[in-house]
């Protein structure tokens, strides 16, 4: 029971942190918003947490070698592969232009999965810190892009150059 409550706590933290990232994307008018990011973060956290349940379940005895080999890297591979498949479906090139759309949202989904993995490993502070860093990147990049575009327009209008 205590282990189940611990996993539920991880799930709740993952939903909150994924929701923060999803809120930013939804607020920016992107297709993958709050629900998508919450579910991806939740799934990643659960895959990591549930993997912990497999080890005792497949032990022959207290001190005996497990009946199966446990490789935590495989869990990461599975999460990254699944999330990358979802992210790839969000990226597309507009016809008639060279614009690529959905790339930042796909990257945000990948970061959301990483946050879920951190929460699944009970690294709550690290997960919260990475969430804040991701929000900072998403917001500051828009601000920096506007500054760069304004400077570019200003330089082309300057007859002395």
């Amino acid at each position: 029971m205590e282990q189940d409550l611990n996993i539920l706590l991880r799930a709740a933290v993952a939903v909150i942190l994924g929701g923060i990232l999803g809120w930013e994307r939804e607020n920016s008018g992107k297709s993958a918003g709050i629900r998508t990011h919450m579910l991806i973060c939740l799934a990643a956290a659960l895959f990591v947490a549930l993997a912990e349940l497999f080890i005792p379940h497949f032990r022959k005895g207290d001190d005996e070698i497990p009946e199966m080999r446990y490789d935590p890297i495989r869990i990461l591979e599975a999460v990254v592969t699944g999330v990358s498949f979802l992210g790839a479906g969000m990226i597309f090139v507009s016809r008639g232009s060279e614009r690529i759309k959905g790339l930042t949202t796909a990257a945000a989904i990948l970061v959301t999965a990483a946050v879920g993995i951190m929460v699944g490993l009970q690294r709550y502070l690290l997960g919260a810190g990475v969430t804040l860093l991701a929000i900072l990147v998403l917001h500051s990049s828009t601000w920096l892009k506007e500054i760069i575009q304004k400077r570019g327009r200003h330089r082309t209008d300057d007859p002395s150059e």
Side-chain angles (χ1 to χ4, degrees):
M1 175 92 157
E2 183 178 330
Q3 194 173 26
D4 290 355
L5 290 173
N6 184 291
I7 291 173
L8 281 173
L9 172 64
R10 296 184 219 181
V13 172
V15 166
I16 291 166
L17 295 178
I20 291 169
L21 290 167
W23 172 82
E24 191 287 327
R25 294 281 75 201
E26 193 158 305
N27 195 39
S28 297
K30 306 302 178 186
S31 56
I34 293 174
R35 292 184 301 175
T36 303
H37 282 76
M38 286 174 140
L39 290 172
I40 287 171
C41 199
L42 174 62
L46 287 177
F47 283 131
V48 172
L50 292 175
E52 292 176 6
L53 299 177
F54 284 127
I55 296 171
H57 183 74
F58 287 100
R59 285 202 188 277
K60 293 179 182 177
D62 289 342
D63 296 327
E64 295 182 37
I65 298 172
E67 293 178 15
M68 64 179 241
R69 287 180 25 187
Y70 174 73
D71 183 2
I73 299 302
R74 289 185 183 178
I75 298 163
L76 294 175
E77 290 172 350
V79 170
V80 170
T81 300
V83 169
S84 296
F85 179 78
L86 288 172
M90 300 191 71
I91 301 169
F92 62 93
V93 178
S94 298
R95 291 188 183 244
S97 74
E98 298 297 318
R99 286 195 57 132
I100 297 173
K101 294 186 178 187
L103 194 57
T104 302
T105 299
I109 285 174
L110 189 59
V111 170
T112 300
V115 169
I117 291 168
M118 289 175 230
V119 171
L121 293 170
Q122 300 180 45
R123 304 301 297 247
Y124 303 117
L125 180 61
L126 184 59
V130 169
T131 299
L132 292 176
L133 285 172
I135 293 295
L136 178 68
V137 166
L138 290 167
H139 280 288
S140 67
S141 61
T142 303
W143 175 70
L144 286 172
K145 186 177 178 180
E146 290 174 4
I147 289 173
I148 291 168
Q149 287 175 345
K150 285 180 184 177
R151 282 191 172 185
R153 276 187 249 133
H154 177 70
R155 284 188 182 155
T156 56
D157 293 340
D158 188 359
S160 64
E161 291 185 14

